[in-house]
Amino acid sequence: MSAPKIILYTNRVCPWAHRAHIVLQELGLPFEEVTIDLDTPREPWYLEVNPRGLVPSLSYNNEIITESGIVAQFLADAHPSHLVPPSNTPEGALQRARIAFFVDTYSSKVSPHYNTALRGVTVEERKAAGEALVAAIKKEIEPLLYPGLEGKTHGPFFGGSEKLTLVEVLLGSFLIRLHAFAKEEYDLLDAGLSQSLAEVKNFSRWAEATREHPSVKTIFPEKAAAAKTKSKLASVRK
């Protein structure tokens, strides 16, 4: 079977586009990368590719697929691997449901606090939002990471996997930014957030393994992403 012709329209600063890079690298699929300038109006040719003008967009054998979660799921389904089990067995379908629930939990219960923390203007606002973020992780995420594996040897990724799963594909770009933006040099999040997160045992292990994985960290432009985030926040506040 010949390799598919893949073109990824992306911008490496964007965490949503980062998802597509992670899954493509994890699957070992060759692709052409086309960078889209997100600071200027989209060119007419790109609006023909994706009328919404967003990234990522994926051309797969000339079929266009958009929206990062859909792109990641499509590639994982089209190229069976360790990322996600097939859905044609009860066990596979159940694991897919667990993956979907975990990602939804992080997106709905944790991400809003992260966004609030980034938008905080004062030290007090950032600290309060950071505390709420850590509390949400302890309550919602910590118990779901390694259910039934307490006291047993297991891998660091979701469900005790030794390899990346679709969970890390979909959340890795946000985990790596959470860690990076908590550094004092960027002045984006509360200075004590990193230490508070390090004390959440399961989350800390999972997040560190994810953000240090080559498929996640290789293309992350940390300084550019931090600068872009600060610029966007300044614009919003005006």
Side-chain angles (χ1 to χ4, degrees):
M1 181 179 177
S2 60
K5 177 177 174 53
I6 298 175
I7 303 173
L8 176 64
Y9 301 93
T10 182
N11 188 298
R12 293 189 175 194
V13 172
C14 174
W16 306 100
H18 193 170
R19 285 173 155 181
H21 287 270
I22 297 170
V23 69
L24 285 165
Q25 182 154 323
E26 195 63 13
L27 293 174
L29 295 171
F31 63 97
E32 176 186 349
E33 182 177 344
V34 177
T35 299
I36 303 301
D37 186 351
L38 301 179
D39 293 323
T40 61
R42 307 299 180 267
E43 298 283 347
W45 70 265
Y46 185 60
L47 292 176
E48 292 183 9
V49 173
N50 183 348
R52 296 182 181 180
L54 303 174
V55 292
S57 296
L58 189 81
S59 175
Y60 185 95
N61 289 336
N62 297 316
E63 293 286 345
I64 301 297
I65 301 157
T66 61
E67 299 300 321
S68 62
I70 297 172
V71 167
Q73 185 72 63
F74 165 77
L75 289 169
D77 286 340
H79 300 271
S81 72
H82 55 279
L83 291 177
V84 63
S87 60
N88 59 353
T89 67
E91 294 79 10
L94 179 59
Q95 182 65 359
R96 281 172 170 252
R98 287 172 175 158
I99 287 172
F101 181 76
F102 186 89
V103 173
D104 178 78
T105 299
Y106 192 95
S107 300
S108 62
K109 303 297 185 181
V110 177
S111 291
H113 297 297
Y114 169 74
N115 294 330
T116 299
L118 280 178
R119 291 194 299 267
V121 176
T122 67
V123 171
E124 291 75 18
E125 288 174 345
R126 291 183 184 181
K127 182 176 177 60
E131 290 174 350
L133 185 150
V134 173
I137 287 173
K138 287 181 178 179
K139 178 183 177 182
E140 305 288 352
I141 298 301
E142 187 80 347
L144 297 179
L145 274 168
Y146 310 125
L149 295 176
E150 295 78 4
K152 300 178 182 178
T153 301
H154 58 80
F157 302 111
F158 178 72
S161 173
E162 295 287 348
K163 297 182 178 181
L164 240 59
T165 73
L166 190 61
V167 164
E168 289 78 36
V169 167
L170 296 175
L171 297 179
S173 61
F174 301 101
L175 292 173
I176 200 170
R177 282 163 174 76
L178 173 60
H179 174 72
F181 294 171
K183 295 178 180 178
E184 288 190 34
E185 64 188 280
Y186 298 130
D187 189 32
L188 283 165
L189 295 169
D190 176 58
L193 183 59
S194 291
Q195 180 58 42
S196 297
L197 290 172
E199 295 170 1
V200 188
K201 183 180 177 182
N202 288 340
F203 176 84
S204 179
R205 179 181 186 233
W206 169 63
E208 181 178 8
T210 300
R211 66 176 183 261
E212 290 299 322
H213 194 283
S215 293
V216 176
K217 76 174 186 177
T218 299
I219 69 104
F220 177 50
E222 181 178 307
K223 292 185 182 297
K228 177 69 174 178
T229 301
K230 290 196 78 168
S231 175
K232 184 176 181 180
L233 288 169
S235 177
V236 169
R237 288 166 183 161
K238 286 182 181 178

